[in-house]
Amino acid sequence: MTFNHKENEDKQKKPFSVREWLFGMSFDRKIFWLGLLMALICGAGWFFYPHISSLLGITECRFKQVTGFYCPGCGGTRAVKALLSGHIIKAIIYHPFVPYCLFMWIIYEGSHILEMLHVPKIKGMKFENAYAYFGIYIIFINWILKNFILFLLNHS
Amino acid sequence: MDFNNQNNQPQDQNTSQYQTQGGPQPQPQYQGQYQAPNTNMNQGYTQYTNQYSSSGMNQNFGLQQPHYSSQNNFSGQNMGYQAGYQGNDQFTSPYAQAPAKPGPNACQVISLICGILSLICCCTGIIGVILGLVGTILAIIGNKQNKHGIGTAGLVCSIIGLVLAGVLLILSLVGVSAIPSSINDLYDYMDM
């Protein structure tokens, strides 16, 4: 068995390359960084939302004003406000996709952060397609169910 | 040739002393734990450690013995084997690698994100249209390169978001309003 010292030396001397770092990491780690980026964008959007909405004139769901039915995202803002107040059950009733996203984000990002900190016996969560499919099912089922209840409420 | 390794000499891992005639000659890499090479001849290998043993080379050399055991310690040699070995389940390597299913590419992942955002933001009109368009285009590009469920989901969500936002935009421009003041709102009941 021979050891290739030259290869190890070459690896140590190689300068850091952003491109290699970006394309060399695993798919799960890429999703981790994407999750951090999305959280940053959502946080910035939530921070600037009161200022933006007054400029754009958003007061109510435009989709509901025009069609009379809820859009797939109706109740999302209320769900975020309920979560920030600590009312998890209320947030689930308003829009279950929001607490689902928050729960998955905490678990996924937390496990990868712990792995990067070399906490023993902790491995970063693997991304499964089922997580995305389940989120999409939640959006559609919530949309159809809420509109069905609204229809019954206004036509009974 | 010292088939039985009677001299207990460590052998070079890439020794091709025992190569069979014909057929491909893979070069497995032994790094403490055996990993089967990714060829069709995989199934003939079993796990063995990279240890040197004087007894390991006796009758089990041909890997044809029905009592071939993964506990035998063979020297780190490039073992020969015969083609047509694939049918015997006893020798299926636990480390045989199934062909890896390709993951979604970047276009498909971004199309899914744009699709979900276009669904949620379809009430804003123009933003939902832009997100839906971007998601649809990226999903089409991504699905051409690679078939994956994420790409299909991204395409479906983007198209639905685009349609909803487009309908809203058109109806808004036309000036349609469907809400009479007496209509009940479900969320008013939830807020109570």
Side-chain angles (χ1 to χ4, degrees):
Chain A
M1 193 183 292
T2 57
F3 295 100
N4 196 340
H5 293 284
K6 194 173 186 311
E7 264 185 31
N8 291 336
E9 283 174 8
D10 287 342
K11 277 180 191 170
Q12 288 166 4
K13 283 181 189 170
K14 233 178 179 177
F16 174 76
S17 161
V18 174
R19 191 172 188 272
E20 260 186 50
W21 172 76
L22 202 58
F23 290 99
M25 60 174 121
S26 66
F27 177 72
D28 300 322
R29 195 51 64 87
K30 283 178 189 168
I31 296 291
F32 163 75
W33 289 111
L34 189 65
L36 280 184
L37 182 67
M38 292 299 299
L40 203 68
I41 293 170
C42 290
W46 183 256
F47 183 75
F48 291 111
Y49 174 72
H51 311 284
I52 295 172
S53 61
S54 57
L55 286 172
L56 295 175
I58 299 173
T59 52
E60 204 178 75
C61 179
R62 188 79 188 121
F63 191 89
K64 186 163 180 291
Q65 284 177 348
V66 170
T67 62
F69 291 104
Y70 294 126
C71 74
C74 270
T77 311
R78 287 175 220 232
V80 172
K81 284 182 184 170
L83 272 177
L84 290 173
S85 311
H87 300 116
I88 298 173
I89 306 291
K90 242 184 175 179
I92 293 172
I93 293 170
Y94 280 136
H95 204 303
F97 184 67
V98 173
Y100 169 77
C101 275
L102 181 69
F103 175 74
M104 292 305 296
W105 188 87
I106 289 171
I107 300 282
Y108 192 87
E109 303 292 312
S111 67
H112 278 268
I113 288 172
L114 290 175
E115 188 188 11
M116 287 197 287
L117 293 174
H118 303 289
V119 173
K121 295 183 186 175
I122 299 278
K123 285 217 163 182
M125 203 164 133
K126 277 189 75 65
F127 180 79
E128 302 288 341
N129 298 339
Y131 303 149
Y133 299 151
F134 190 66
I136 294 169
Y137 295 153
I138 286 176
I139 292 176
F140 280 109
I141 291 172
N142 174 71
W143 182 36
I144 293 166
L145 200 64
K146 293 260 173 71
N147 281 319
F148 180 67
I149 295 172
L150 182 71
F151 178 80
L152 289 179
L153 201 65
N154 289 300
H155 292 86
S156 56
Chain B
M1 287 186 180
D2 181 11
F3 287 97
N4 293 329
N5 198 12
Q6 290 174 350
N7 294 329
N8 275 344
Q9 296 297 323
Q11 303 278 338
D12 184 8
Q13 290 182 5
N14 292 325
T15 302
S16 57
Q17 298 178 20
Y18 311 113
Q19 289 179 356
T20 57
Q21 296 178 357
Q25 303 298 331
Q27 301 292 327
Q29 297 176 2
Y30 312 125
Q31 298 174 354
Q33 189 173 9
Y34 170 68
Q35 280 188 350
N38 192 13
T39 65
N40 288 334
M41 302 299 185
N42 255 353
Q43 299 176 5
Y45 281 96
T46 63
Q47 178 185 3
Y48 64 91
T49 57
N50 189 16
Q51 296 178 4
Y52 302 109
S53 166
S54 61
S55 62
M57 289 302 297
N58 288 334
Q59 299 300 320
N60 291 330
F61 156 68
L63 290 178
Q64 298 172 18
Q65 301 296 327
H67 300 296
Y68 185 86
S69 167
S70 61
Q71 299 302 319
N72 285 342
N73 295 327
F74 286 83
S75 62
Q77 299 175 4
N78 189 0
M79 295 295 298
Y81 57 87
Q82 292 191 358
Y85 198 65
Q86 303 170 13
N88 194 337
D89 288 338
Q90 284 185 346
F91 303 108
T92 302
S93 167
Y95 295 98
Q97 295 174 5
K101 196 178 171 186
N105 54 34
C107 287
Q108 290 172 327
V109 173
I110 296 172
S111 77
L112 180 68
I113 293 171
C114 288
I116 291 174
L117 286 175
S118 76
L119 277 177
I120 291 170
C121 301
C122 69
C123 53
T124 55
I126 189 72
I127 297 173
V129 168
I130 292 169
L131 284 170
L133 265 175
V134 169
T136 308
I137 292 167
L138 286 174
I140 291 169
I141 294 170
N143 288 342
K144 274 186 184 172
Q145 298 168 2
N146 178 23
K147 283 267 178 192
H148 201 275
I150 294 282
T152 311
L155 184 67
V156 168
C157 291
S158 301
I159 288 174
I160 293 175
L162 179 65
V163 165
L164 290 174
V167 163
L168 173 68
L169 210 59
I170 291 167
L171 291 177
S172 296
L173 288 171
V174 167
V176 173
S177 179
I179 302 291
S181 56
S182 60
I183 199 164
N184 291 319
D185 190 358
L186 184 63
Y187 288 104
D188 291 338
Y189 291 96
M190 289 181 188
D191 287 337
M192 290 175 187

